[in-house]
Amino acid sequence: TKDRNGISQVILHNPRGASARVSLHGGQILSWKTDHGEELLFTSSKAIFKPPTPVRGGIPICFPQFGNHGTLEQHGFARNKIWVIDENPPPLPPSNSNGKAYIDLLLKPSEHDLKIWPHTFEFRLRVGLSADGYLTLTSRIRNINCKPFSFSIAYHTYFSITDISEVRVEGLETLDYLDNLCQRERFTEQGDAITFESEVDRVYLSSSDVAIFDHERKRTFIIRKEGLPDVVVWNPWEKKSKAMADFGDEEYKQMLCVDGAAIEKPITLKPGEEWTGRLELSYLPSS
Ligand code: BG6
């Protein structure tokens, strides 16, 4: 299908009726629904669907830079680009396709991209939806140049939640984090679980799986990851929400970004080398 700006979108369905919608704009997932048709991802009512503006919601991919630490635009250029469908992707282990609906996308740098970031790469993204309704994003990034390059990456996942004040994130306790609200100063998490009562913008370092508990909806999201040591936790809260043109003033209550990412230690690829990172999102449904 195509959106109103003529950009192609691919919809994946599983046999139980769950679905996921992927846009070629940014290779971005814009919707992930349960088999009851409930939306699991947040997209702002003010989102702008016109490239090169990134879309506020779903799962934008931040690459090759996270945030504004570097010479590139905020969160890099991958989320602003039109990706193509990869008709002939190199094989992945069968676990990436068995029992799944999936689509392969590809991003290569344009002439313009090479001027601002002079590294030739191929970024292959496989989005899969399993019979259980799990969403998987497998990224393969290959250096096809003759010199090494380094990058950061984040799957900037906007989870849809009922009320930010009633949400708890587990799996990050005792970890160190970089606080984006304090020039990336390093702190250690002291609490048992993370709860929210003001703006949060952090990069937790070297975590394993993370769970988001949405008490009101009795839903738990589980984030599993491979090759993605860090986890970004972001909620803009009231003041920042008002400052963002493509975000409703009150919408911060219904979203929470928790990203699988590789940020603190950038990934370096030698010529010909490939990196793989995998994110798996699942949920325990409300009963
Ligand atoms: C977060 C950053 O991950 O993304 C924040 O740490 C930023 O600082 C947020 O505000 C949203 O970024 P953007 O570019 O999509 O507005």
Side-chain angles (χ1 to χ4, degrees):
T1 66
K2 290 199 190 283
D3 73 6
R4 58 195 123 106
N5 292 308
I7 300 162
S8 293
Q9 300 190 340
V10 177
I11 301 176
L12 303 174
H13 293 280
N14 82 355
R16 294 190 197 155
S19 66
R21 185 154 46 89
V22 190
S23 173
L24 294 192
H25 177 186
Q28 186 159 340
I29 300 186
L30 291 178
S31 165
W32 172 36
K33 286 184 181 167
T34 69
D35 45 5
H36 294 108
E38 283 174 282
E39 181 60 60
L40 298 166
L41 299 177
F42 165 89
T43 300
S44 172
S45 60
K46 296 195 169 173
I48 299 160
F49 294 90
K50 239 189 181 148
T53 308
V55 178
R56 177 74 61 201
I59 313 183
I61 295 175
C62 307
F63 171 87
Q65 174 183 305
F66 180 78
N68 54 12
H69 282 242
T71 53
L72 303 179
E73 62 202 280
Q74 160 101 339
H75 291 330
F77 49 75
R79 63 178 181 165
N80 308 338
K81 299 289 168 186
I82 301 295
W83 295 47
V84 296
I85 292 176
D86 191 2
E87 304 285 358
N88 218 344
L92 270 166
S95 59
N96 290 283
S97 48
N98 282 354
K100 285 199 175 94
Y102 65 90
I103 180 80
D104 288 285
L105 302 184
L106 173 63
L107 179 71
K108 292 184 191 182
S110 66
E111 298 267 306
H112 173 75
D113 301 336
L114 288 171
K115 279 189 196 133
I116 54 166
W117 201 66
H119 305 292
T120 335
F121 65 87
E122 286 172 348
F123 187 147
R124 292 196 156 76
L125 172 70
R126 174 169 295 182
V127 180
L129 182 69
S130 75
D132 299 322
Y134 291 20
L135 190 66
T136 53
L137 291 95
T138 308
S139 290
R140 290 179 286 173
I141 297 169
R142 180 177 288 278
N143 182 350
I144 52 170
N145 205 349
C146 51
K147 56 181 199 255
F149 65 74
S150 300
F151 65 88
S152 301
I153 183 167
Y155 294 104
H156 205 340
T157 311
Y158 287 75
F159 289 96
S160 168
I161 54 166
T162 325
D163 178 358
I164 187 68
S165 306
E166 302 289 327
V167 161
R168 207 171 81 232
V169 178
E170 287 188 9
L172 304 173
E173 42 289 352
T174 74
L175 297 184
D176 280 5
Y177 64 87
L178 310 177
D179 196 336
N180 281 323
L181 301 178
C182 306
Q183 286 82 46
R184 284 206 177 175
E185 201 183 322
R186 195 175 177 124
F187 296 93
T188 303
E189 180 58 53
Q190 306 289 354
D192 283 345
I194 299 167
T195 52
F196 299 86
E197 48 194 27
S198 59
E199 184 180 0
V200 172
D201 190 350
R202 299 177 182 169
V203 182
Y204 284 86
L205 306 176
S206 304
S207 93
S208 53
D209 299 351
V210 179
I212 305 172
F213 296 91
D214 181 340
H215 295 287
E216 284 199 23
R217 213 176 262 151
K218 297 190 177 59
R219 176 179 291 142
T220 305
F221 290 105
I222 313 285
I223 302 159
R224 295 192 181 87
K225 53 204 182 58
E226 288 163 28
L228 301 160
D230 305 327
V231 169
V232 178
V233 179
W234 180 61
N235 183 287
W237 218 254
E238 210 172 335
K239 191 159 148 245
K240 188 151 190 190
S241 297
K242 290 190 173 139
M244 291 190 288
D246 60 347
F247 193 82
D249 291 357
E250 303 285 324
E251 285 182 328
Y252 71 93
K253 294 174 182 165
Q254 276 105 52
M255 58 71 71
L256 176 63
C257 282
V258 180
D259 321 4
I263 295 169
E264 191 206 16
K265 299 187 183 98
I267 291 150
T268 301
L269 289 178
K270 294 192 195 110
E273 264 185 343
E274 184 175 84
W275 169 87
T276 302
R278 193 164 180 277
L279 187 74
E280 180 193 271
L281 306 178
S282 59
Y283 62 95
L284 306 172
S286 49
S287 47

Short mmCIF file of all heavy atoms in Angstrom, two decimals, residues 56 66 74-75 79 156 158 180 201 232 234 240, ligand 1:
data_model
loop_
_atom_site.label_atom_id
_atom_site.label_comp_id
_atom_site.label_asym_id
_atom_site.label_seq_id
_atom_site.Cartn_x
_atom_site.Cartn_y
_atom_site.Cartn_z
N ARG A 56 7.24 11.08 13.99
CA ARG A 56 7.21 11.03 15.46
C ARG A 56 6.37 9.85 15.94
O ARG A 56 5.16 9.97 16.13
CB ARG A 56 6.63 12.35 15.98
CG ARG A 56 6.46 12.43 17.47
CD ARG A 56 7.74 12.61 18.22
NE ARG A 56 8.42 13.83 17.86
CZ ARG A 56 9.73 14.03 18.07
NH1 ARG A 56 10.48 13.09 18.61
NH2 ARG A 56 10.29 15.17 17.69
N PHE A 66 23.66 8.50 17.17
CA PHE A 66 22.55 8.67 18.10
C PHE A 66 22.63 10.06 18.72
O PHE A 66 23.69 10.48 19.17
CB PHE A 66 22.58 7.61 19.20
CG PHE A 66 21.44 7.80 20.16
CD1 PHE A 66 20.16 7.37 19.83
CD2 PHE A 66 21.62 8.47 21.36
CE1 PHE A 66 19.09 7.59 20.68
CE2 PHE A 66 20.55 8.69 22.22
CZ PHE A 66 19.29 8.25 21.88
N GLN A 74 20.71 15.35 14.17
CA GLN A 74 20.21 14.59 15.30
C GLN A 74 19.75 13.19 14.86
O GLN A 74 18.96 13.06 13.93
CB GLN A 74 19.04 15.38 15.90
CG GLN A 74 18.09 14.61 16.76
CD GLN A 74 18.34 14.83 18.26
OE1 GLN A 74 19.43 15.22 18.65
NE2 GLN A 74 17.33 14.59 19.06
N HIS A 75 20.27 12.16 15.51
CA HIS A 75 19.92 10.76 15.28
C HIS A 75 20.29 10.23 13.89
O HIS A 75 19.78 9.18 13.46
CB HIS A 75 18.42 10.51 15.54
CG HIS A 75 18.02 10.61 16.98
ND1 HIS A 75 18.87 10.31 18.02
CD2 HIS A 75 16.84 10.98 17.56
CE1 HIS A 75 18.23 10.49 19.18
NE2 HIS A 75 17.01 10.92 18.94
N ARG A 79 16.71 7.56 9.29
CA ARG A 79 15.26 7.66 9.52
C ARG A 79 14.58 8.65 8.56
O ARG A 79 13.35 8.71 8.52
CB ARG A 79 14.97 8.04 10.97
CG ARG A 79 15.51 9.41 11.39
CD ARG A 79 15.14 9.75 12.82
NE ARG A 79 15.64 11.06 13.22
CZ ARG A 79 15.22 11.71 14.30
NH1 ARG A 79 14.28 11.19 15.06
NH2 ARG A 79 15.72 12.89 14.60
N HIS A 156 14.53 3.37 18.06
CA HIS A 156 13.90 4.36 18.95
C HIS A 156 12.40 4.04 19.14
O HIS A 156 11.53 4.72 18.61
CB HIS A 156 14.08 5.74 18.33
CG HIS A 156 14.06 6.86 19.30
ND1 HIS A 156 13.51 6.76 20.54
CD2 HIS A 156 14.53 8.13 19.20
CE1 HIS A 156 13.64 7.92 21.16
NE2 HIS A 156 14.26 8.76 20.37
N TYR A 158 8.75 3.74 20.28
CA TYR A 158 7.72 4.48 21.02
C TYR A 158 6.62 3.49 21.42
O TYR A 158 5.76 3.14 20.61
CB TYR A 158 7.08 5.56 20.15
CG TYR A 158 7.94 6.79 19.86
CD1 TYR A 158 8.99 6.74 18.94
CD2 TYR A 158 7.65 8.02 20.47
CE1 TYR A 158 9.74 7.88 18.67
CE2 TYR A 158 8.41 9.16 20.19
CZ TYR A 158 9.45 9.07 19.29
OH TYR A 158 10.19 10.21 19.01
N ASN A 180 21.36 12.31 29.46
CA ASN A 180 21.36 13.34 28.40
C ASN A 180 20.89 14.69 28.92
O ASN A 180 21.08 15.71 28.26
CB ASN A 180 20.45 12.92 27.25
CG ASN A 180 21.13 11.91 26.33
OD1 ASN A 180 22.33 12.00 26.08
ND2 ASN A 180 20.36 10.95 25.84
N ASP A 201 15.77 11.17 30.09
CA ASP A 201 16.48 11.05 28.82
C ASP A 201 17.85 10.42 29.11
O ASP A 201 18.82 11.13 29.37
CB ASP A 201 16.62 12.45 28.19
CG ASP A 201 17.13 12.41 26.77
OD1 ASP A 201 17.56 11.34 26.32
OD2 ASP A 201 17.09 13.47 26.10
N VAL A 232 18.08 3.05 25.70
CA VAL A 232 17.68 4.44 25.89
C VAL A 232 16.30 4.46 26.54
O VAL A 232 15.44 3.68 26.16
CB VAL A 232 17.60 5.18 24.53
CG1 VAL A 232 17.13 6.62 24.71
CG2 VAL A 232 18.93 5.13 23.81
N TRP A 234 13.39 7.31 27.31
CA TRP A 234 13.07 8.72 27.05
C TRP A 234 11.58 8.99 27.21
O TRP A 234 10.75 8.26 26.65
CB TRP A 234 13.49 9.11 25.62
CG TRP A 234 13.20 10.54 25.27
CD1 TRP A 234 13.69 11.64 25.90
CD2 TRP A 234 12.34 11.03 24.22
NE1 TRP A 234 13.21 12.80 25.31
CE2 TRP A 234 12.37 12.44 24.27
CE3 TRP A 234 11.56 10.42 23.24
CZ2 TRP A 234 11.66 13.25 23.39
CZ3 TRP A 234 10.84 11.22 22.36
CH2 TRP A 234 10.91 12.61 22.44
N LYS A 240 8.95 19.83 27.49
CA LYS A 240 9.54 19.49 26.20
C LYS A 240 8.46 19.12 25.17
O LYS A 240 8.59 19.41 23.98
CB LYS A 240 10.54 18.34 26.35
CG LYS A 240 11.30 18.07 25.09
CD LYS A 240 12.66 17.51 25.32
CE LYS A 240 13.43 17.51 24.01
NZ LYS A 240 14.67 16.76 24.11
C1 BG6 B 1 15.93 10.79 22.54
C2 BG6 B 1 17.02 11.75 22.79
O1 BG6 B 1 16.37 9.51 22.47
O2 BG6 B 1 15.28 11.20 21.36
C3 BG6 B 1 16.33 13.04 23.14
O3 BG6 B 1 17.88 11.31 23.82
C4 BG6 B 1 15.49 13.50 21.96
O4 BG6 B 1 17.27 14.01 23.52
C5 BG6 B 1 14.56 12.38 21.56
O5 BG6 B 1 14.76 14.62 22.32
C6 BG6 B 1 13.74 12.69 20.32
O6 BG6 B 1 14.55 13.05 19.27
P1 BG6 B 1 13.95 13.62 17.95
O7 BG6 B 1 15.10 14.03 17.09
O8 BG6 B 1 13.17 12.51 17.32
O9 BG6 B 1 13.08 14.76 18.35
#
